Amino acid sequence: MTRLLVHARDFRAYRALLDLHARAGWFRLSIVAALPVAWIIVANLAPLVQMAMISLYDRYPLAPGTEPQFTLRHYTAFFGRPLYLTAFLRTFVFGTAVTALTLVVVFPIAFYISKVAAPARRTRLLLLVIAPFWVSEVIRSFAWILMLANRGAVNSFASWIGLPGTPYELLYNNVSLTIGVIYLTSLYMLLPLYAALEKIDRSVLEAASDLGAPGWRRFTRIVLPLSREGVVTGCTLVFLLTVGLFAMPQLLGGPNTTMFATTIGQVFAKAGDSWPLGSAFSLILLAAALAYVGLFMLLFQPRRRKTS
Amino acid sequence: MRYLRGFSLPAYFWLFIAYLFAPLLVMAAMGLRDSAFIAFPITKWTTHWYADMVFDREMLSALVLSARVAVLSTLIALAVGLPTALLLTRTRGVMRAILVAIVVMPAFLPVVVSSIALRMFISRLGIEPGTAAIVFGHAAGSTPFVAVMALTRLDSMGHNLADAARDLGADEVIVFVRVVLPWLAPALFGAFMFCLLLSFEDFVRSFFLGGFEPTFPVLLFAKLRFGLNPGIAAISTMVLFTTMALGLYAERFTRRRRLRRDDQ
């Protein structure tokens, strides 16, 4: 390979290109920049800009030969029907609750792997926890349907050990959806928490315990403050993931657990001026989620202490 | 605290592992039920669902489409993500922060939002919903991960290696092929596996950008709503073990490299 590239220098055109690369800064930059910039524009920016435009159009696609009429009516339609507003509020309440629950459920796991388990076992335990996350959201929803259905594994087990009142209605409600969603989100909480907890020096904890701090005190005064960055990152990731969920609420949730992302999908797929309406709703979700997360980070993000 | 360390925390950990794996084992067992319906308890067992599903034409063509889309979109994401990382290493300060924000944006947007935006955008470009559209959508979703993984690796490289090669008479092309690429190889392999699985698992993008041919998750989603049988559990189990094995292999590979590097 190298020999081939050395022989390539026998060609004048190749030498000229190398020469240009050595002398001209714009050439160096454009070799690296052309493809990424073009891609960023086509894949990341243009679709969103177009979406913002469409959300303001009276109707889209435009009939041939007509000029677009601008209107805000797709944004005001959001407030027009309680159906939309309830789904929207439910999504944010649900997202907040799931984020808090995930934090509580996963924190001991991250603490156990990073601080209590023997260092030699850490990688293996971590891989064990990560393994199910390589499986698709739809497959994992299906697995939980099999667990929680009326004739599913849990109910079958409950009646086998003789619990009264089986089958329990476990599926298609908030409980099943919460169980399933935490199944999806826990990894996004675990990895930032693990990274933060791993950095805490064990001797700090030992010092505190030598000085007589009880367990809960060591937790609130040392572990929690020192892992704050991981907590904030984990919560942000989990919240953004939860408010965007589309498939799982349809599979594990019931009629009373419709999430806003699902509403957007339904609005978008309908006939009529569905595209402008879907666009407006998408932007409302995006803006609200980013504002919510931004506020959260502003309040809880650890500030870098000034070094003086 | 000693009580917590000695017993409660390990017990809680293994309980959590049970929570993670029990549903998957239940699904694997359901694939063995000798009946046309899905229900517990299982009294008669059979392996014919597993055997049949390997040759089920509908499932197979969906799996093949998913695999094709995964490979194509990952290759595109690598081809775009690598130069993106190279570009990011050459920028500094505010410019870099803005560029990074734009590059990683697709990873943070709600997937429904970006899927709908792409769906409307491809119709503007004159592309019909279908395989090409899905590949484009998945590549758009994967590129941020390639760029960030390659960038992390590049940041740890330093200038010495490339400078040494140049002093020894290598031109820029040789430096790139013989020094930069080998240095990046583990990160690129990790990104390759990650994006492959990311694309293979994706439901939302394929749902909005797909045509009449469903990818595997889209087909499964439809089956879950209408037409459940133990065969669906069987095929899901087989897909599950395959993706899990691939994911573990990639994770082990990258982690082992990292550990070895730390030792040096």
Side-chain angles (χ1 to χ4, degrees):
Chain A
M1 185 70 192
T2 318
R3 189 177 295 167
L4 209 71
L5 288 171
V6 171
H7 279 304
R9 284 189 230 169
D10 295 342
F11 295 94
R12 193 185 291 163
Y14 184 76
R15 281 205 307 275
L17 279 179
L18 284 179
D19 203 38
L20 195 61
H21 185 276
R23 277 186 295 123
W26 62 266
F27 183 73
R28 275 201 296 276
L29 192 66
S30 61
I31 285 184
V32 203
L35 185 59
V37 169
W39 179 266
I40 286 171
I41 291 173
V42 172
N44 297 12
L45 294 177
L48 275 186
V49 172
Q50 193 205 10
M51 180 180 235
M53 296 285 287
I54 290 177
S55 75
L56 295 170
Y57 284 168
D58 187 45
R59 59 185 70 249
Y60 190 92
L62 300 170
T66 54
E67 285 292 301
Q69 303 282 317
F70 289 99
T71 171
L72 281 175
R73 76 181 166 96
H74 305 298
Y75 287 92
T76 51
F78 172 69
F79 300 98
R81 285 180 62 183
L83 187 73
Y84 301 148
L85 214 55
T86 349
F88 179 81
L89 291 176
R90 184 189 291 130
T91 302
F92 277 75
V93 172
F94 182 77
T96 311
V98 161
T99 306
L101 269 174
T102 310
L103 178 63
V104 173
V105 168
V106 172
F107 201 101
I109 303 295
F111 187 78
Y112 174 73
I113 301 177
S114 63
K115 284 268 126 10
V116 181
R121 290 175 67 212
R122 268 179 214 160
T123 307
R124 219 176 309 152
L125 293 181
L126 206 56
L127 285 180
L128 194 61
V129 178
I130 291 175
F133 293 89
W134 294 111
V135 179
S136 134
E137 179 187 346
V138 181
I139 292 187
R140 284 190 272 172
S141 305
F142 178 33
W144 276 106
I145 292 178
L146 294 177
M147 285 290 274
L148 301 174
N150 276 354
R151 297 190 61 189
V154 171
N155 270 320
S156 161
F157 182 73
S159 73
W160 182 66
I161 61 171
L163 288 182
T166 55
Y168 305 117
E169 294 281 336
L170 300 170
L171 197 55
Y172 307 126
N173 54 36
N174 266 318
V175 179
S176 57
L177 186 57
T178 309
I179 292 175
V181 172
I182 292 178
Y183 198 79
L184 284 184
T185 55
S186 43
L187 183 73
Y188 296 87
M189 189 65 89
L190 180 80
L191 292 183
L193 281 183
Y194 177 80
L197 286 170
E198 203 189 19
K199 279 190 221 137
I200 300 178
D201 197 333
R202 246 193 158 127
S203 55
V204 182
L205 290 171
E206 281 159 17
S209 103
D210 287 349
L211 292 170
W216 58 268
R217 194 97 186 247
R218 288 203 293 272
F219 179 75
T220 54
R221 300 294 294 269
I222 297 171
V223 177
L224 209 53
L226 284 178
S227 59
R228 193 155 151 189
E229 206 159 334
V231 172
V232 172
T233 310
C235 288
T236 306
L237 287 177
V238 168
F239 182 81
L240 285 177
L241 184 75
T242 311
V243 293
L245 279 180
F246 178 74
M248 198 175 252
Q250 294 181 59
L251 294 171
L252 292 183
N256 294 323
T257 58
T258 310
M259 295 290 149
F260 195 59
T262 311
T263 310
I264 293 177
Q266 284 163 354
V267 165
F268 182 78
K270 248 188 246 156
D273 39 48
S274 58
W275 283 19
L277 201 61
S279 302
F281 281 20
S282 294
L283 290 171
I284 289 174
L285 175 66
L286 188 60
L290 290 183
Y292 194 86
V293 165
L295 193 69
F296 172 77
M297 286 171 85
L298 207 66
L299 288 175
F300 293 105
Q301 186 84 292
R303 292 185 180 73
R304 309 236 178 277
R305 295 230 177 92
K306 279 178 197 145
T307 46
S308 53
Chain B
M1 193 69 179
R2 193 173 298 139
Y3 177 72
L4 201 71
R5 276 171 191 239
F7 177 71
S8 301
L9 264 182
Y12 180 74
F13 176 81
W14 291 107
L15 203 69
F16 185 73
I17 295 294
Y19 163 71
L20 290 183
F21 284 93
L24 307 180
L25 294 177
V26 160
M27 187 164 76
M30 182 49 76
L32 294 167
R33 187 173 204 256
D34 192 4
S35 158
F37 305 100
I38 280 204
F40 279 96
I42 304 173
T43 46
K44 277 173 66 190
W45 303 77
T46 173
T47 52
H48 87 256
W49 288 114
Y50 278 94
D52 288 357
M53 275 299 151
V54 178
F55 300 107
D56 187 88
R57 188 175 293 171
E58 194 184 18
M59 287 292 172
L60 265 190
S61 65
L63 282 171
V64 168
L65 178 65
S66 280
R68 245 172 50 208
V69 166
V71 171
L72 281 175
S73 68
T74 302
L75 290 179
I76 295 175
L78 282 173
V80 181
L82 176 60
T84 307
L86 292 171
L87 174 66
L88 288 174
T89 54
R90 286 168 203 216
T91 50
R92 292 275 168 277
V94 185
M95 185 65 185
R96 179 167 176 157
I98 294 174
L99 259 181
V100 168
I102 299 175
V103 168
V104 302
M105 192 173 62
F108 290 95
L109 292 182
V111 195
V112 179
V113 174
S114 49
S115 306
I116 289 179
L118 282 176
R119 170 68 190 87
M120 295 188 298
F121 189 64
I122 57 155
S123 87
R124 173 77 159 269
L125 297 181
I127 305 173
E128 287 294 310
T131 310
I134 303 179
V135 169
F136 176 55
H138 286 193
S142 296
T143 305
F145 296 100
V146 179
V148 168
M149 287 180 190
L151 182 64
T152 319
R153 182 93 178 132
L154 277 174
D155 277 343
S156 67
M157 179 162 144
H159 291 289
N160 302 353
L161 286 175
D163 285 345
R166 276 190 207 103
D167 288 347
L168 293 170
D171 60 47
E172 285 310 313
V173 180
I174 295 179
V175 168
F176 182 73
V177 174
R178 295 304 303 267
V179 180
V180 179
L181 271 188
W183 176 264
L184 277 174
L188 291 182
F189 175 76
F192 177 80
M193 295 299 289
F194 184 84
C195 296
L196 216 55
L197 292 171
L198 195 70
S199 160
F200 195 79
E201 290 176 8
D202 171 84
F203 168 74
V204 182
R205 289 173 208 272
S206 312
F207 181 79
F208 281 105
L209 296 170
F212 298 108
E213 263 187 291
T215 63
F216 179 72
V218 174
L219 180 64
L220 187 62
F221 182 82
K223 292 274 178 195
L224 289 188
R225 310 189 101 194
F226 317 99
L228 265 183
N229 62 40
I232 310 294
I235 188 86
S236 299
T237 307
M238 289 188 273
V239 171
L240 177 158
F241 281 117
T242 314
T243 51
M244 212 186 250
L246 284 175
L248 280 179
Y249 170 70
E251 191 75 25
R252 268 194 81 99
F253 177 84
T254 48
R255 269 179 203 275
R256 200 183 301 149
R257 301 279 303 211
R258 211 176 300 151
L259 291 176
R260 207 180 294 158
R261 202 168 69 241
D262 293 342
D263 287 344
Q264 282 164 5

